[in-house]
């Protein structure tokens, strides 16, 4: 997705919201673990060419919502998870990189390509893995093992692993939560660059975060979830222009969004 394409889509959707193409939907999704209710009638649409952040209290069910989107979990009777097409491709990046310590960065990215439902030959997997690692700036670290990489570089490798499978929708569960502030800010803009790059297949990103600042800076919409059992309480549009750039934190629109999000968080 190029920046020009995204801007054209955003402009059209503002004029006529009904023209937005839905990539995946949750409808009235409730879920309990044993006798503990976790989600309560969660409904949410993820549109093409948008970045969504999900904010909510710790333990409320944000990560569970991502697993519903991946269909790793199923909602209770009456709930539905719907994709725009049967072959919609989703990728997942977790809070921790979860790299195999005995494999190199290249081998870690290749692994799901060789073992997944859509299997690639070793040569194809290597080509795709090298391309993904180049996109995240790790082309000089292909043969480094996880312990030889910094925390930020390990998370880049995890993002490369997700991108190598050419996902249309990327789900991210607090991917930068364990990183220092400087590395986190750098990777925020790297993520936006990857999303806007025509070299990736990415259309939409859904990211769980605890950072109001991060959600306001990156997102087109911020989804607010209530304490457990969680429901969607508000969806806040972010009026910042695209593409997002460093320094936008100084814009009045950014400050208004942060103020509004903080107000909503206080009432959760």
């Amino acid at each position: 997705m190029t920046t020009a394409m995204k801007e054209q889509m955003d402009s059209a959707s503002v004029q006529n919201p009904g023209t937005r193409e839905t990539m995946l939907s949750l409808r009235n999704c409730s879920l309990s673990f044993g006798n503990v209710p976790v989600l309560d009638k969660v409904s949410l649409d993820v549109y093409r060419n948008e970045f969504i952040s999900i904010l909510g209290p710790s333990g409320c069910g944000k990560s569970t919502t991502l697993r519903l989107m991946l269909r790793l979990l199923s909602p209770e009777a009456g709930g539905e998870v719907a994709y725009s097409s049967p072959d919609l491709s989703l990728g997942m990046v977790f809070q921790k990189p979860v790299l195999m310590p005995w494999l190199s960065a290249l081998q870690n990215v290749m692994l799901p390509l060789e073992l997944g439902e859509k299997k690639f030959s070793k040569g194809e997997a290597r080509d795709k893995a090298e391309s993904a690692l180049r996109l995240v700036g790790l082309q000089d670290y292909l043969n480094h093992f996880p312990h030889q990489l910094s925390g930020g570089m390990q998370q880049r490798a995890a993002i490369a692993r997700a991108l190598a499978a050419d996902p249309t929708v990327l789900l991210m569960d607090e991917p930068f939560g364990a990183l220092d502030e400087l590395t986190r800010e750098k990777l925020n803009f790297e993520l936006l660059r990857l999303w806007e790059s025509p070299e990736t297949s990415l259309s939409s990103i859904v990211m769980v975060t605890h950072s109001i600042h991060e959600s306001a800076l990156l997102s087109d919409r911020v989804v607010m979830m209530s304490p457990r059992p969680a429901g969607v309480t508000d969806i806040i549009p972010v009026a910042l222009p695209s593409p997002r750039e460093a320094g936008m934190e100084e814009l009045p629109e950014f400050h208004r969004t942060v103020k509004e999000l903080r107000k909503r968080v206080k009432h959760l």
Side-chain angles (χ1 to χ4, degrees):
M1 179 196 66
T2 66
T3 299
M5 289 170 60
K6 182 179 185 298
E7 288 177 341
Q8 184 177 8
M9 173 68 76
D10 289 345
S11 175
S13 64
V14 168
Q15 296 172 23
N16 185 4
T19 64
R20 303 211 69 173
E21 180 184 351
T22 302
M23 303 303 292
L24 66 85
S25 295
L26 302 181
R27 287 285 174 268
N28 296 314
C29 289
S30 297
L31 187 67
S32 298
F33 294 143
N35 295 322
V36 179
V38 178
L39 299 178
D40 181 29
K41 297 180 180 178
V42 171
S43 293
L44 177 65
D45 290 323
V46 177
Y47 299 120
R48 179 178 291 280
N49 296 342
E50 77 165 343
F51 194 121
I52 290 179
S53 287
I54 301 179
L55 277 177
S58 295
C60 75
K62 300 184 296 296
S63 298
T64 301
T65 301
L66 293 188
R67 284 159 176 75
L68 277 178
M69 291 180 178
L70 274 172
R71 291 180 171 167
L72 295 176
L73 297 171
S74 298
E76 295 170 0
E80 180 187 17
V81 180
Y83 292 171
S84 58
S85 65
D87 58 352
L88 180 69
S89 176
L90 286 84
M92 182 74 187
V93 178
F94 297 95
Q95 184 174 3
K96 295 182 179 180
V98 198
L99 301 175
M100 303 297 105
W102 58 87
L103 298 179
S104 68
L106 179 63
Q107 291 169 328
N108 266 288
V109 177
M110 289 175 61
L111 187 63
L113 298 176
E114 296 178 300
L115 300 179
E117 290 184 10
K118 183 180 178 182
K119 292 183 174 61
F120 296 89
S121 70
K122 197 169 189 67
E124 290 172 330
R126 183 183 181 90
D127 288 344
K128 293 179 75 64
E130 287 182 348
S131 177
L133 286 164
R134 185 179 66 252
L135 279 171
V136 300
L138 291 181
Q139 63 271 16
D140 296 329
Y141 298 88
L142 303 183
N143 298 314
H144 284 60
F145 291 89
H147 74 274
Q148 298 173 306
L149 304 175
S150 68
M153 293 167 75
Q154 289 183 33
Q155 198 59 289
R156 286 173 186 264
I159 293 171
R161 182 175 55 195
L163 293 178
D166 297 323
T168 304
V169 178
L170 184 63
L171 308 179
M172 310 185 82
D173 191 359
E174 289 194 77
F176 310 132
L179 303 176
D180 64 86
E181 187 174 350
L182 292 177
T183 302
R184 182 170 186 157
E185 183 167 327
K186 184 175 182 180
L187 288 186
N188 280 339
F189 286 105
E190 284 294 303
L191 177 60
L192 289 178
R193 178 185 63 80
L194 291 169
W195 178 43
E196 294 164 353
S197 171
E199 295 185 60
T200 74
S201 59
L202 285 182
S203 169
S204 307
I205 296 178
V206 182
M207 184 175 74
V208 166
T209 178
H210 280 109
S211 170
I212 290 175
H213 178 283
E214 188 172 68
S215 63
L217 184 61
L218 301 183
S219 309
D220 297 305
R221 294 188 296 155
V222 181
V223 176
M224 307 293 298
M225 296 190 74
S226 64
R228 196 174 63 200
V232 175
T233 60
D234 291 292
I235 299 179
I236 313 299
V238 181
L240 289 175
S242 295
R244 304 293 167 86
E245 298 172 346
M248 283 190 170
E249 300 95 326
E250 304 302 321
L251 294 177
E253 294 90 340
F254 176 82
H255 291 288
R256 281 196 293 269
T257 301
V258 168
K259 183 178 179 180
E260 181 64 24
L261 291 174
R262 284 178 175 155
K263 183 174 71 174
R264 303 296 177 101
V265 166
K266 286 181 181 179
H267 289 88
L268 290 178

